[in-house]
Amino acid sequence: MERSGLVDTFARDNLPPSAQWPEFLFELPELQFAPRLNCAVELLDRAVERGWGARDAVLGDGVRWSYAELQAQVNRIAHVLVDDMHLVSGNRVLLRGGNTPQLAACWLAVVKAGGIAVGTMPLLRARELATIVRKARVTHALCDARLAQELDAARADCPELAQVLHYDSAGAAPLAMLAAAKPQTFTAVDTAADDVCLIAFTSGTTGQPKGTMHFHRDVMAACACWPPHVLRANADDRFIGSPPLAFTFGLGGLLLFPMAIGASTVLLEKASPDVLPAAIARWRASVCFTAPTAYRAMAAQAAQHDWSSLRKCVSAGEALPAPTRTLWREATGIELIDGIGSTELLHIFISATERQARGGATGVPVPGYRACVLDEHGREATRGAVGRLAVKGPTGCRYLADERQTQYVRDGWNLTGDAYRVGDDGQFEFQARTDDMIVSGGYNIAGPEVEAALLLHPAVAECAVVGAADDERGQVVKAFVVPTPGLEAGPELAKTLQDFVKQTIAPYKYPRVVEFRNELPRTETGKLQRFRLRQG
Ligand code: 3UK
């Protein structure tokens, strides 16, 4: 490894042993990184050096910062971190707030000052925050004043978290007061390309959260792979969307990727499907990032909105059902860009451009990555067979002090926990999470395939299919269905849906049990919590 630029060695000391790392690939010419690299300098200072200073960078409610203005904000906050909060490079800084320009500036300031950003979801409570603080040994925090309460409660159990400063949008909170008196310039910490700059906690549906560690070069690698090869946005694009900056899907899509090309980004605290369409029209946004269910919900109200500014739409976080892709295309004329990414790999590694896109397939390995499907012996499966997805590329899994490292990384491959098959056209087709495969009466059934069939029926707004324990068959296919508003849910509709599935896919896959719900349990990153549905 390169000589570290960080004084506090906690992150490097707690990397997994190198024998447990995935193999890294840097084959593309754009992945030849200099040994010294600070990604905030690359994304922010280089943007101004390139002459983009006057261009719009970050927008939000009441805020419109050019790249030069953003740079000045970031530099002042970096001074506060170092001068007033006594940040030492390598310290972990917890960031807590909804998506706002202020939060983006804090992220860049932490990284520029050699700190390690630890993003947290706004809805986390004191207990969960304390777990993260202890695990990442967090010493500093920048927190939206409106979300201070839970962090204060967490501090009672966390003596290591000694420095906390609040920010707000009005410039009245302590961070802004201190920042206002600071110079507009700041000399970035001279970090190694392989110094850690980000610890992203997995949205984890069960168990203790895992902290994934990412280097400065990983951030630049994510910007160099999927965005130019698949997304292909340009400097005139305006990005918008829902994923939190604490989720690497949002960090990349709504901050790093627009900055890498001199584009602008709109950061909104509320971007649920009921408000996102109006925000797209208001801000004249052109590139949208959100989850598959949000596209389905927005398609239903498409006629009421002005989509004329929109030209690219990205779906990730969960499998995109083929019917949702069709609905969105019919409603807006836009072919969705689907992509599978993970917190461990930082961002998207299998995806398809609008032209390659095919219903039911995620796409092909993103340039810079290799992917294959492994059989039960860990060998490459025959074409068409279902097996475990394995990936390697310029980014990969390094958990912070966690025994689960050897589960995610085997023989140099990152194993994402997904069951996939490769179709005749070479495209990778998602089947299910490996632990979500339903085994019923000796058949393997992938819940998402049954969900896609149900979603073709107009009476289904949302649905989730899981295996329910059954004495006779081991498991039976059980569907939880949110009916379209105004429809009467009952045995008759259940029977209609069962018959419909039997006519759409192999009849043995039909849901033997149908339960109606008003909503489905989801994580803050929009993922269905199947384990909660399995519990009954
Ligand atoms: C699932 C998908 C099918 C899959 C993420 C884009 O979701 C992200 O990260 P997480 O760590 O979850 C990873 C897991 O989510 N998944 C995500 N996208 C898709 N399954 N099709 C998809 N398009 O099980 C994967 O292993 O929360 C997504 C960028 C950055 C991310 N962190």
Side-chain angles (χ1 to χ4, degrees):
M1 292 184 83
E2 167 75 9
R3 171 183 59 83
S4 176
L6 308 181
V7 173
D8 174 345
T9 60
F10 172 83
R12 210 173 250 200
D13 295 343
N14 283 283
L15 283 166
S18 55
Q20 294 178 11
W21 289 20
E23 186 189 340
F24 289 104
L25 307 175
F26 299 101
E27 286 153 354
L28 299 181
E30 54 268 44
L31 296 176
Q32 311 308 309
F33 298 112
R36 311 301 299 176
L37 183 78
N38 183 310
C39 67
V41 171
E42 295 302 312
L43 292 171
L44 183 59
D45 299 348
R46 296 280 177 270
V48 175
E49 282 169 26
R50 284 186 188 120
W52 298 340
R55 295 184 67 88
D56 282 344
V58 184
L59 300 89
D61 276 318
V63 176
R64 181 173 182 169
W65 290 337
S66 66
Y67 276 89
E69 287 166 329
L70 176 63
Q71 187 186 40
Q73 295 281 352
V74 167
N75 288 344
R76 291 196 182 106
I77 298 170
H79 277 291
V80 175
L81 284 164
V82 175
D83 306 346
D84 301 285
M85 299 177 79
H86 315 294
L87 181 86
V88 169
S89 63
N91 287 167
R92 279 73 52 213
V93 184
L94 183 143
L95 297 169
R96 174 164 170 79
N99 284 4
T100 59
Q102 289 78 20
L103 178 64
C106 288
W107 192 92
L108 292 162
V110 167
V111 173
K112 202 167 171 182
I116 297 175
V118 182
T120 58
M121 303 288 177
L123 287 182
L124 293 190
R125 309 298 295 263
R127 276 175 62 90
E128 298 152 302
L129 290 168
T131 304
I132 289 172
V133 168
R134 280 195 295 261
K135 182 102 210 219
R137 217 159 315 148
V138 172
T139 51
H140 294 68
L142 300 176
C143 177
D144 187 313
R146 292 163 299 171
L147 297 179
Q149 215 182 348
E150 292 293 327
L151 187 61
D152 283 343
R155 285 183 77 184
D157 296 331
C158 300
E160 61 271 61
L161 178 52
Q163 291 284 346
V164 178
L165 216 50
H166 297 160
Y167 66 87
D168 66 0
S169 55
L175 177 59
M177 306 284 277
L178 291 167
K182 302 293 180 192
Q184 290 187 30
T185 54
F186 176 85
T187 309
V189 169
D190 170 38
T191 45
D194 56 7
D195 274 330
V196 174
C197 66
L198 168 66
I199 301 179
F201 279 85
T202 55
S203 33
T205 42
T206 45
Q208 282 278 102
K210 291 168 271 193
T212 66
M213 302 208 270
H214 300 285
F215 300 154
H216 286 266
R217 75 158 196 239
D218 299 328
V219 167
M220 299 320 296
C223 292
C225 290
W226 178 80
H229 291 107
V230 183
L231 180 64
R232 297 178 301 170
N234 61 54
D236 293 324
D237 275 307
R238 175 161 293 172
F239 290 51
I240 201 167
S242 66
L245 295 180
F247 180 26
T248 62
F249 179 37
L251 181 70
L254 298 177
L255 185 63
L256 309 175
F257 302 165
M259 288 187 73
I261 55 171
S264 60
T265 184
V266 185
L267 294 172
L268 302 170
E269 289 180 273
K270 199 170 166 355
S272 50
D274 51 324
V275 298
L276 191 50
I280 290 169
R282 174 181 164 210
W283 298 95
R284 305 250 356 120
S286 57
V287 178
C288 177
F289 286 75
T290 190
T293 46
Y295 285 112
R296 189 171 174 89
M298 293 197 296
Q301 9 149 356
Q304 291 118 262
H305 295 281
D306 170 13
W307 305 99
S308 59
S309 63
L310 197 58
R311 63 182 205 99
K312 286 176 180 282
C313 295
V314 179
S315 171
E318 279 199 310
L320 174 67
T324 301
R325 173 183 286 291
T326 307
L327 267 184
W328 188 250
R329 187 198 313 116
E330 285 170 355
T332 65
I334 298 172
E335 190 71 55
L336 280 166
I337 300 176
D338 185 11
I340 178 173
S342 74
T343 309
E344 289 82 353
L345 283 132
L346 196 50
H347 221 271
I348 292 174
F349 46 81
I350 294 177
S351 186
T353 63
E354 296 93 330
R355 286 192 54 181
Q356 296 168 315
R358 161 162 81 71
T362 314
V364 294
V366 167
Y369 290 86
R370 263 185 244 160
C372 65
V373 170
L374 300 178
D375 66 16
E376 65 269 32
H377 310 294
R379 287 190 285 264
E380 190 161 347
T382 50
R383 179 59 72 92
V386 176
R388 288 181 302 163
L389 180 65
V391 189
K392 58 175 83 160
T395 60
C397 178
R398 283 136 305 174
Y399 287 134
L400 164 66
D402 203 304
E403 284 167 5
R404 290 168 288 187
Q405 176 72 19
T406 53
Q407 289 169 22
Y408 203 94
V409 177
R410 297 239 177 111
D411 301 325
W413 290 96
N414 296 277
L415 303 181
T416 64
D418 298 294
Y420 258 83
R421 71 187 282 278
V422 180
D424 293 334
D425 58 356
Q427 295 225 31
F428 284 67
E429 300 172 1
F430 176 81
Q431 307 296 305
R433 293 283 307 168
T434 44
D435 43 14
D436 283 342
M437 287 294 287
I438 303 165
V439 187
S440 180
Y443 287 109
N444 276 324
I445 301 167
E449 187 190 359
V450 185
E451 288 162 11
L454 281 165
L455 288 171
L456 288 170
H457 197 282
V460 178
E462 275 185 79
C463 66
V465 170
V466 301
D470 181 77
D471 288 342
E472 205 180 314
R473 295 169 184 277
Q475 283 184 309
V476 289
V477 177
K478 178 173 182 182
F480 292 86
V481 173
V482 179
T484 304
L487 282 185
E488 199 183 317
E492 220 168 302
L493 181 56
K495 174 81 171 60
T496 304
L497 294 176
Q498 288 171 321
D499 290 344
F500 180 77
V501 172
K502 284 187 201 169
Q503 282 156 23
T504 310
I505 53 178
Y508 69 89
K509 297 174 183 171
Y510 88 97
R512 284 172 194 267
V513 187
V514 176
E515 187 177 317
F516 293 101
R517 290 273 175 105
N518 291 325
E519 57 178 13
L520 299 174
R522 291 189 182 276
T523 64
E524 219 184 327
T525 57
K527 279 195 222 301
L528 203 54
Q529 293 174 305
R530 287 169 203 281
F531 73 100
R532 287 176 66 181
L533 292 170
R534 274 195 295 265
Q535 285 160 3

